[in-house]
């Protein structure tokens, strides 16, 4: 049965599905819920949704969730004095080392370097 037939008000295009899923993912980065559980409320399979993600934005839902968490970590690093360990815990990373590794892969620098860079900018004002 087609997802739209089950839910007439459901999104009509791959872009609509991805947009809806992205909003849900971004809004729940602090909940610690598994991605599969979070997206299970949508009337299409995780596999279908993954195909839509690849088609529309070129990454998986899991990669999108990781980017959202890293973006939030960067925001917290630059706007708060929270320790990296606390940020990692708040955002559901297994450890501060795991956050640091993922952060470095996506941002090209470790969290400590971003924080130091922001402090230098603040000191220069």
């Amino acid at each position: 049965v087609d997802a739209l037939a089950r839910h007439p008000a459901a999104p009509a295009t791959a872009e609509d599905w991805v947009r809806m899923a992205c909003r849900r993912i971004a809004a729940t980065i602090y909940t610690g819920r598994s991605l599969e559980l979070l997206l299970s409320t949508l009337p299409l399979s995780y596999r279908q949704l993954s195909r839509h993600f690849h088609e529309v934005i070129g990454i998986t839902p899991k990669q999108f969730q990781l980017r959202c968490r890293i973006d939030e970590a960067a925001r917290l690093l630059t706007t708060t004095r929270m320790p990296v360990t606390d940020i990692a815990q708040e955002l559901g990373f297994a450890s501060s080392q795991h956050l640091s590794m993922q952060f470095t892969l996506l941002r090209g620098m470790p969290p400590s370097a971003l924080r130091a860079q922001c402090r230098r900018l603040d000191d220069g004002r």
Side-chain angles (χ1 to χ4, degrees), residues 1 3 50 56 58 64 70 72 75 86-87 93 100 104 109:
V1 176
S50 289
V56 175
F64 179 78
I70 294 297
E72 181 64 4
R75 187 189 72 76
D86 292 350
I87 293 171
F93 287 92
S100 184
T104 302
M109 70 174 73

Side-chain angles (χ1 to χ4, degrees), residues 66 70 93 97-107:
L66 177 61
I70 294 297
F93 287 92
Q97 292 82 9
H98 184 235
L99 168 60
S100 184
M101 179 186 71
Q102 295 297 327
F103 194 96
T104 302
L105 286 171
L106 287 173
R107 292 288 181 117

Side-chain angles (χ1 to χ4, degrees), residues 56-123:
V56 175
I57 58 177
I59 59 174
T60 67
K62 190 72 174 165
Q63 289 167 326
F64 179 78
Q65 181 186 49
L66 177 61
R67 288 182 184 188
C68 289
R69 291 164 66 207
I70 294 297
D71 288 348
E72 181 64 4
R75 187 189 72 76
L76 292 171
L77 287 164
T78 59
T79 61
T80 73
R81 294 189 181 272
M82 283 177 71
V84 174
T85 302
D86 292 350
I87 293 171
Q89 185 176 17
E90 286 287 319
L91 293 172
F93 287 92
S95 65
S96 59
Q97 292 82 9
H98 184 235
L99 168 60
S100 184
M101 179 186 71
Q102 295 297 327
F103 194 96
T104 302
L105 286 171
L106 287 173
R107 292 288 181 117
M109 70 174 73
S112 56
L114 176 64
R115 183 165 268 170
Q117 186 179 57
C118 288
R119 284 191 184 139
R120 281 193 305 275
L121 291 174
D122 286 344
D123 291 345

